[in-house]
Amino acid sequence: MNWVLANLDLIGRLSLEHLRLSVVPIVLGFVLAIPLGWVAWRYQLTRGVILTITGLLYTIPSLALFALLPPLLGISYLSELNVIIALTLYAVAIMARSVAEALGSVDPGTRQAAVALGYAPWRRFWEVDFPLAGPVLLAGLRVVAVSTIALVTVGALLGVDSLGYLFTNGFQRRIVPEILAGVVATMAIALVIDGLLALVGRGLMPWSRRKQPIRSRPGTESFGRGVNPGASA
Amino acid sequence: MNLFAEAFAWLTSEELANSSLPLGEAFGQHLYFSFVTVLIAALIAVPAGYLIGHTGKGREIAVGITGAARALPSFGLILLLVLVLGVTRSELGAFIAFVLLAIPSILAGAYAGVEAVDRRTVDAARAVGMTEWQILVKVEAPLGLPLLVGGLRSAVLQVVATVTLAGYVNLGGLGYYIIQGVPLGRFDQILGGAVLVIALALVLDGLFGLLARVVEPQGLASRTQRRRADPATAETTASA
């Protein structure tokens, strides 16, 4: 505890750094996954290809991806760009599947009603499909956010500073509270971001709250999803 | 691309064969850690998952565990347990961390598999006079097997990835090459290690993909086909 109190400024600085390294992949992953997931959902032919490639991508252990990307992209191992790109790839891998799933969860009747009312495809996507896919999208985004925040720490092995620095530094100096502080702070950030996303979701999608009691088994989807993504450490 | 040639040269080099950790040994360690971890985790998580799935009790706890586990930084957990248990018992510390990280996926797979069984099927089994134990063993467990295998698959991948990080605490494995290569600036070694880890993960993933097909119960095959016709349902099935 003394260590934590004496190093609050270090923990604070690393937390901010950690947050910065996590937010970019989460946002980029979400944005890039929308067209990819849409294509996978819309065209049966591409569905298998896209979902297989993203699935394989997610199979790659994080440390190996951090080690593989620099020579492929011609960047430095120590560059934080490496970590950001790797985590964006993971985020896209999870999110593309989520987007395809989310669009599939929209009632086809509603979609047809929108067509009948004269919605053009582009407008229909943003005003009908996208909002109605919202709850499933949000569930996917929350998975992405939490796992990205946990994965950022692995970058410390290459010397990219985040809360993971507390792990390597604490281990070398044999300070248990330092590592513990890193674990707790990482989980706290994940929890806060997850909570914020849930709150934003409630604000943007008030209808998803009312739906809950009607479903016979609430939360089945979000739980089931836990089986699939969650591969890489 | 030149670096890739160097990495492959390193993989076949005398230097690696005569080093403190030859390739075969690193592979063996990696597989040993992964296999034992998944075995122990399955012994804990499968019964617990079946119990939750069958009784329907405690699902909130299971959901909470899987959610929280995703936020847990695996690297930190390994270092923490190794340091707390002492460097002389670093293998035990690492094993505990690996098992803790493997449990949630398997628990979710076991639980979701049982829960996904059509309730009418379970009622029918009860109606023909099966005991609760028979329902679990003869109906729910076989029908839920594909989802359990899916959970095991996730757990194996998670563990292979986590064991890679154990190179940092001198437990060997394929990650050792990557982690040792960083301070030495040995980029051929870093890349070679990464290629090996990726190959191992992909092969194991492929094996589990095959296993998932093998364990699919005959009676379910037609249902799956029908579901595949409808992309929306197929997707939900695949992810669950």
Side-chain angles (χ1 to χ4, degrees), chain A residues 47 77 97 172 223 227 230-231, chain B residues 63 111 154 158 168 187 232 235:
Chain A
R47 151 180 296 269
Y77 276 98
R97 180 174 278 273
Q172 276 155 13
F223 185 73
V227 183
Chain B
V63 175
Y111 158 86
S154 300
Q158 161 90 50
Y168 191 78
F187 300 119
E235 210 35 66

Side-chain angles (χ1 to χ4, degrees), chain B residues 42-173:
Chain B
L43 285 176
I44 300 168
V46 173
Y50 279 169
L51 192 70
I52 293 168
H54 183 75
T55 60
K57 284 177 192 142
R59 80 181 296 283
E60 299 306 324
I61 302 170
V63 175
I65 290 175
T66 32
R70 208 175 282 127
L72 196 64
S74 43
F75 183 45
L77 186 67
I78 298 173
L79 297 191
L80 187 65
L81 285 172
V82 168
L83 203 55
V84 167
L85 287 175
V87 180
T88 47
R89 280 177 296 177
S90 57
E91 193 169 316
L92 178 68
F95 259 126
I96 295 175
F98 298 157
V99 170
L100 286 177
L101 292 163
I103 283 178
S105 314
I106 304 178
L107 187 70
Y111 158 86
V114 169
E115 211 207 35
V117 176
D118 194 334
R119 285 300 107 185
R120 282 171 300 185
T121 313
V122 177
D123 289 342
R126 203 164 277 141
V128 297
M130 283 192 179
T131 62
E132 291 304 306
W133 178 252
Q134 283 172 323
I135 292 172
L136 181 65
V137 175
K138 293 188 175 172
V139 180
E140 289 175 328
L143 289 176
L145 206 52
L147 284 183
L148 176 63
V149 170
L152 285 170
R153 186 180 186 176
S154 300
V156 166
L157 293 176
Q158 161 90 50
V159 168
V160 166
T162 315
V163 171
T164 312
L165 304 175
Y168 191 78
V169 290
N170 279 324
L171 285 172

Side-chain angles (χ1 to χ4, degrees), chain B residues 209-225:
Chain B
L210 283 178
L211 186 64
R213 287 198 185 176
V214 172
V215 299
E216 176 111 17
Q218 287 285 298
L220 280 182
S222 59
R223 208 178 81 190
T224 322
Q225 230 114 60

Side-chain angles (χ1 to χ4, degrees), chain A residues 48-189:
Chain A
V49 179
I50 291 177
L51 294 186
T52 307
I53 292 175
T54 52
L56 286 180
L57 196 65
Y58 204 75
T59 307
I60 300 176
S62 52
L63 183 61
L65 191 59
F66 290 155
L68 181 70
L69 284 179
L72 277 180
L73 303 173
I75 52 177
S76 159
Y77 276 98
L78 302 171
S79 136
E80 59 176 48
L81 202 60
N82 181 17
V83 172
I84 289 177
I85 294 174
L87 294 180
T88 304
L89 286 174
Y90 283 134
V92 172
I94 307 176
M95 225 32 232
R97 180 174 278 273
S98 244
V99 171
E101 224 171 273
L103 291 172
S105 76
V106 176
D107 186 353
T110 312
R111 192 175 291 124
Q112 279 163 9
V115 175
L117 281 172
Y119 276 80
W122 178 259
R123 194 170 149 231
R124 194 195 71 208
F125 179 81
W126 291 110
E127 291 181 16
V128 179
D129 292 68
F130 193 71
L132 287 178
V136 181
L137 281 178
L138 181 68
L141 186 63
R142 288 172 67 182
V143 170
V144 168
V146 171
S147 61
T148 303
I149 291 167
L151 280 173
V152 168
T153 56
V154 178
L157 276 167
L158 299 171
V160 178
D161 274 358
S162 66
L163 285 167
Y165 171 81
L166 298 179
F167 301 162
T168 49
N169 189 261
F171 189 74
Q172 276 155 13
R173 295 167 59 193
R174 313 232 166 275
I175 306 175
V176 173
E178 183 173 358
I179 304 184
L180 192 60
V183 172
V184 171
T186 308
M187 291 187 81
I189 291 181

